Amino acid sequence: MSGIKTLQPTLLWKWFSQICAIPHPSYHEEQIAQFIMHWAKGKGFYAERDEVGNILIRKPASEGMENHVPVALQAHLDMVPQANEGTVHNFTQDPIQPYIDGEWVKAKGTTLGADNGIGMASALAVLDAEDLEHPPLEVLLTMTEEAGMEGAIGLRPNWLQSEIMINTDTEENGEIYIGCAGGENANITLQIERKLNTFQHSYQVGLKGLSGGHSGGDIHTGRANAIKVLARFLAKLTQEQPEFQFALSDIRGGSVRNAIPREAFATLAFNEDLATLQQAVSEFEGVLKHELVKVEPNLSLTLKPVENADTVFSQNTTQKVIHLLNVLPNGVIRNSDVLENVVESSLSIGVLRTEEEQIKGTILIRSLIHSGNRYIGSLLKSLVTLAGAEVQFSGYYPGWEPHNDAPIVDLTAKIYANVLGYAPTVKVIHAGLECGLLKKIYPDMDMVSIGPTIRNAHSPDEKVHIPAVQTYWELLTKLLAAIPAK
């Protein structure tokens, strides 16, 4: 971890190293929140937490900028916890282990937490620095963004004094975001009929080694969803080899709702010749490697014996879950008619698990427009009705409507062009940002989102580009210095 402290800008990377050292997955941000509060109060800053745990820190303006427009820097405290198979890591207790690989910083076997740890580190570095020009400054650090934006939803009204907000959760150098998709969870439940397991064999089929990634930012890339691909295999086995009779005793995949699942597993109980299943697995793996040779070069479909369970799903339940998952829409539903090369609406099943009496799946619906969200919700209602399942919707958050005439957008673009040597791209992102929710609470606040290049967020392949962090820091500090007087 000491290696990244040698990178430039030193103060930002020092803070990122400290953030990596303190566990902070969603719903477990309290330790890092207390550390930051203790530090801020020790520096003599105003520091307070609201009813849901969000942190607000205020720093007076640098000399000569007291009468300039006040600005808030905003980041979220939590990170997505994902680990490679075989990596033993307790995200609530163990530190992230970052390391330098050429021009990138990565983590050993886990997500790095550059989303949004770099943004948080930059905000804390601005607070920590004594040589920067800036207007009256606020830093807002929100709780549990990755698991449902709960901090932004519960943010205290009339708390912030700033007129401009700079969100630090963008993940592409040279781009300025002024809008984002809204989202909602669709929670599907299918009741399980069980029967006594009288089968001779139980084998687990496992799909592993997929790329995963952000279910918003990466949804257009064609990366495979492990849950969907496994369902396709099971449906193929049922439809093309009906003589191979089996029952499921378990099916699961994914671990967080906003990441494309990298792994999925199903346990099959059967009496038939094992060679039939072995051949089906081998042939389907070959099909996948041919189809997905570019986007999923490391996939593998495995088969291993497991202990027989006491009960298995009935044939009715086995067929229902297979066919429900196989026909479940997933991925890009529609591209925007208004914004070029932007996804309008999508969905991704992120988590599937078997409980004692139910199979539960969590889907994240995203759309730039409310009607798109409602359309996908209607599709899912029709589908689960046909399958004899149920769906409940929760955690809705609005999109961030773009306003490219806001003065902060023009100023950011001007400063960024000077830093880059070319004009930045001003755009809307399909991933969710907290700005939409924050704009509802603070409708008169102008907002913009910037950040460095981060690849493969929400997966253990996550990495942040070191030169882009330097560019981002230069933009951020010059932008703060250029904020106009009131």
Side-chain angles (χ1 to χ4, degrees):
M1 201 175 295
S2 60
I4 67 171
K5 292 182 181 179
T6 65
L7 299 173
Q8 297 293 327
T10 305
L11 203 52
L12 186 154
W13 286 107
K14 182 203 82 168
W15 269 107
F16 185 65
S17 177
Q18 181 63 66
I19 289 165
C20 289
I22 302 174
H24 57 286
S26 301
Y27 297 113
H28 298 277
E29 308 99 315
E30 194 59 30
Q31 186 180 350
I32 196 167
Q34 290 184 12
F35 176 87
I36 292 169
M37 287 291 292
H38 179 76
W39 171 83
K41 290 181 177 180
K43 294 280 286 187
F45 297 141
Y46 165 94
E48 187 182 6
R49 300 183 74 184
D50 69 2
E51 293 73 14
V52 295
N54 299 314
I55 294 174
L56 181 62
I57 303 170
R58 295 195 181 111
K59 180 181 182 181
S62 59
E63 186 177 354
M65 294 194 69
E66 294 85 355
N67 294 321
H68 288 235
V69 177
V71 171
L73 303 180
Q74 191 264 321
H76 60 81
L77 287 158
D78 60 324
M79 64 171 286
V80 170
Q82 292 270 281
N84 280 323
E85 185 188 19
T87 297
V88 179
H89 190 94
N90 185 333
F91 282 94
T92 65
Q93 298 179 9
D94 301 334
I96 301 299
Q97 300 181 56
Y99 67 95
I100 300 170
D101 183 5
E103 291 191 339
W104 300 87
V105 171
K106 304 177 180 178
K108 294 182 179 178
T110 69
T111 37
L112 174 62
D115 170 17
N116 185 215
I118 291 292
M120 179 167 32
S122 69
L124 294 169
V126 170
L127 290 174
D128 204 1
E130 298 178 355
D131 58 348
L132 296 179
E133 293 182 72
H134 58 80
L137 190 70
E138 294 181 311
V139 168
L140 174 65
L141 305 176
T142 50
M143 298 282 285
T144 322
E145 187 267 356
E146 299 289 8
M149 301 196 180
E150 295 182 9
I153 290 171
L155 180 67
R156 182 189 297 174
N158 305 314
W159 197 27
L160 277 71
Q161 300 172 354
S162 296
E163 298 176 27
I164 294 170
M165 177 174 286
I166 301 172
N167 170 278
T168 63
D169 204 8
T170 287
E171 298 174 3
E172 192 64 56
N173 189 49
E175 295 185 352
I176 301 168
Y177 288 102
I178 60 170
C180 72
E184 187 171 25
N185 301 324
N187 304 296
I188 292 180
T189 303
L190 177 67
Q191 299 298 322
I192 299 174
E193 299 172 351
R194 290 187 178 272
K195 67 175 187 177
L196 189 67
N197 184 5
T198 59
F199 291 102
Q200 297 176 356
H201 312 295
S202 288
Y203 273 72
Q204 183 190 79
V205 180
L207 181 62
K208 300 184 287 186
L210 300 184
S211 299
H214 194 295
S215 67
D218 296 320
I219 200 68
H220 64 287
T221 62
R223 297 180 187 182
N225 182 308
I227 295 169
K228 286 289 298 175
V229 176
L230 183 61
R232 176 183 165 189
F233 168 74
L234 296 173
K236 185 175 186 293
L237 185 64
T238 295
Q239 294 163 1
E240 296 183 7
Q241 294 179 288
E243 71 282 358
F244 186 83
Q245 296 291 309
F246 68 91
L248 293 173
S249 62
D250 179 70
I251 187 164
R252 58 186 170 86
S255 59
V256 291
R257 78 194 217 299
N258 55 358
I260 300 171
R262 303 167 55 250
E263 299 176 348
F265 305 89
T267 301
L268 283 62
F270 58 95
N271 291 324
E272 280 76 8
D273 185 1
L274 173 61
T276 300
L277 181 58
Q278 290 174 325
Q279 182 178 353
V281 167
S282 177
E283 289 179 353
F284 192 66
E285 183 184 49
V287 169
L288 295 178
K289 286 182 176 293
H290 176 71
E291 286 185 3
L292 304 173
V293 61
K294 290 188 177 181
V295 291
E296 302 294 356
N298 300 314
L299 73 83
S300 65
L301 193 64
T302 62
L303 185 64
K304 68 175 184 180
V306 294
E307 185 177 348
N308 272 342
D310 293 334
T311 63
V312 295
F313 302 172
S314 68
Q315 281 300 305
N316 183 47
T317 298
T318 294
Q319 294 304 306
K320 273 187 177 181
V321 67
I322 290 172
H323 295 305
L324 173 60
L325 291 173
N326 193 38
V327 300
L328 182 71
N330 191 85
V332 176
I333 297 298
R334 193 169 189 271
N335 287 312
S336 174
D337 285 345
V338 178
L339 301 165
E340 188 176 354
N341 299 320
V342 174
V343 175
E344 177 202 276
S345 302
S346 74
L347 75 165
S348 174
I349 180 166
V351 182
L352 181 72
R353 64 184 185 274
T354 299
E355 298 182 351
E356 187 62 31
E357 298 179 354
Q358 299 171 331
I359 295 169
K360 293 186 175 181
T362 301
I363 297 165
L364 181 53
I365 302 169
R366 301 179 190 265
S367 185
L368 298 176
I369 56 177
H370 187 66
S371 61
N373 182 291
R374 298 273 66 82
Y375 169 62
I376 294 176
S378 175
L379 283 180
L380 294 177
K381 284 181 181 179
S382 294
L383 179 60
V384 301
T385 299
L386 291 172
E390 298 178 353
V391 62
Q392 293 184 334
F393 299 93
S394 66
Y396 173 77
Y397 60 90
W400 172 24
E401 185 179 350
H403 294 283
N404 58 8
D405 57 348
I408 187 59
V409 176
D410 290 338
L411 181 61
T412 304
K414 179 181 177 181
I415 300 294
Y416 217 164
N418 290 334
V419 170
L420 295 167
Y422 57 88
T425 303
V426 180
K427 59 191 300 186
V428 173
I429 190 172
H430 188 62
L433 296 172
E434 292 166 287
C435 298
L437 284 162
L438 300 175
K439 190 74 171 173
K440 281 189 69 176
I441 302 169
Y442 292 91
D444 297 327
M445 192 180 293
D446 286 339
M447 298 181 182
V448 70
S449 181
I450 55 175
T453 299
I454 297 171
R455 293 283 181 263
N456 306 314
H458 300 186
S459 86
D461 296 323
E462 181 184 7
K463 58 184 181 180
V464 60
H465 193 225
I466 297 167
V469 173
Q470 178 70 58
T471 300
Y472 161 68
W473 177 253
E474 186 178 352
L475 166 65
L476 180 62
T477 54
K478 287 185 175 182
L479 180 56
L480 290 173
I483 297 295
K486 293 183 180 180

